[in-house]
Amino acid sequence: MSGEHVASAVNVDAWEQRTRVHFDAPMYGVDAFRDGATTLKAPELELVGDVRGRRLLHLQCHFGLDTLSWARRGAIATGVDFSPAAIAAARRHAREQGMEATFICEDVQRLGALPDRFDVAVATYGVMCWIGSLSAWAGAIAANLAPGGRFVLVEFHPLLELLAVGKVSGADSYFGWHNPVHSISTGTYAAPGASIAYEEYRWQHTVGDVATALLDAGLALEGVHELPFCAYPLLEGLQLGPDGLWWPADESRVPYMYALVARAPR
Ligand SMILES: C[S@@+](CC[C@H](N)C(=O)[O-])C[C@H]1O[C@@H](n2cnc3c(N)ncnc32)[C@H](O)[C@@H]1O
């Protein structure tokens, strides 16, 4: 197996283990979702906009709570994830909720063109560090958007790695130089005490690298936003605002997240 395939197989196994403890982790809010709450946050809601009747592709959907939240807002939703346990949990949960959504188990870098084209594709929070080939990732997005379709990415800013070393990608430099960081982790961010241990490979991609990959795949960039708040309390000193986002107590000096909006040619 090539180095890339080894890294991918190792990461699938890591996410299989994480998924098994995430479904019941309070952070994921499955009970609140069952009671009607959305798991979507203000940045993606604002950037994606009205999805009623729109074909929506949710990349790296984990066990599908966001996918189903988009479906609840009226989207014809498809979620993709490379973890069989995550896709099985997503399908089971959709069935239990009596909700319609399609779930596909595949590495986004090997997705190819699905039978349908999508009006919008979305990926959020903790997705880029698992992507070894930005060109394969961006190519899959381009291949699956309908003419004029939009892609929205909302992601932790790679600068966070310098503020809290190892927090997301595990890098100790802003620049990843395309080399993955190999580590052995225990527990997970949603269940720190869980007795699981696994290997993983994570990549650091700069905002410029990600934006350029989308341009190289033929998409036009419509927005590059660096955001002064975080969707999760990844760093100390952040306070939960009434908007459901985590803000620094003092004047913001760094970007915690970024968002890219790109459009396929018409
Ligand atoms: C942090 S979670 C994403 C959470 C996301 N905010 C959501 O909607 O729930 C990362 C997800 O990416 C998936 N993943 C990682 N690398 C992948 C890849 N190359 N192809 C497809 N899914 C991948 C993992 O299995 C995991 O479910």
Side-chain angles (χ1 to χ4, degrees):
M1 273 205 286
S2 70
E4 193 190 308
H5 282 89
V6 170
S8 173
V10 164
N11 285 348
V12 170
D13 183 62
W15 279 103
E16 289 289 273
Q17 298 208 46
R18 281 200 181 104
T19 300
R20 291 194 184 102
V21 295
H22 279 185
F23 196 80
D24 293 322
M27 183 187 145
Y28 272 95
V30 171
D31 287 341
F33 177 85
R34 286 193 179 112
D35 290 342
T38 184
T39 54
L40 302 171
K41 297 186 182 298
E44 63 268 25
L45 285 171
E46 186 183 321
L47 291 170
V48 171
D50 187 0
V51 294
R52 281 172 298 177
R54 314 285 284 167
R55 295 159 301 175
L56 181 145
L57 179 63
H58 178 210
L59 299 171
Q60 295 171 251
C61 66
H62 203 26
F63 58 88
L65 287 180
D66 282 10
T67 320
L68 293 177
S69 291
W70 289 115
R72 225 176 226 169
R73 297 177 77 82
I76 303 158
T78 298
V80 176
D81 201 283
F82 71 1
S83 155
I87 290 299
R91 288 180 182 150
R92 194 174 56 243
H93 193 222
R95 249 192 333 271
E96 279 167 16
Q97 297 297 301
M99 295 184 68
E100 290 277 333
T102 303
F103 289 101
I104 296 171
C105 190
E106 186 55 279
D107 187 320
V108 292
Q109 298 159 109
R110 291 195 276 275
L111 191 56
L114 296 170
D116 268 339
R117 293 290 177 278
F118 294 86
D119 303 304
V120 59
V122 194
T124 58
Y125 312 125
V127 287
M128 295 314 302
C129 66
W130 309 108
I131 300 300
S133 168
L134 286 180
S135 59
W137 169 81
I141 293 164
N144 283 292
L145 284 176
R150 291 164 77 235
F151 172 59
V152 173
L153 171 71
V154 189
E155 181 56 299
F156 304 120
H157 201 291
L159 191 65
L160 277 190
E161 298 307 317
L162 305 189
L163 306 177
V165 172
K167 203 74 186 176
V168 181
S169 74
D172 57 8
S173 160
Y174 181 74
F175 300 98
W177 314 121
H178 307 293
N179 296 319
V181 175
H182 177 250
S183 55
I184 295 178
S185 301
T186 53
T188 102
Y189 54 86
S195 54
I196 53 174
Y198 46 88
E199 275 185 81
E200 57 191 352
Y201 288 92
R202 291 174 286 162
W203 284 264
Q204 166 85 346
H205 300 297
T206 68
V207 175
D209 288 344
V210 178
T212 302
L214 293 170
L215 290 169
D216 287 347
L219 303 184
L221 279 175
E222 290 199 334
V224 179
H225 310 278
E226 292 178 287
L227 305 171
F229 50 77
C230 202
Y232 296 92
L234 286 193
L235 294 168
E236 281 174 18
L238 293 173
Q239 296 176 346
L240 185 60
D243 53 4
L245 299 166
W246 293 81
W247 293 81
D250 53 5
E251 188 93 341
S252 235
R253 289 180 295 268
V254 296
Y256 293 91
M257 304 204 300
Y258 71 102
L260 298 179
V261 182
R263 195 181 282 278
R266 286 181 197 281

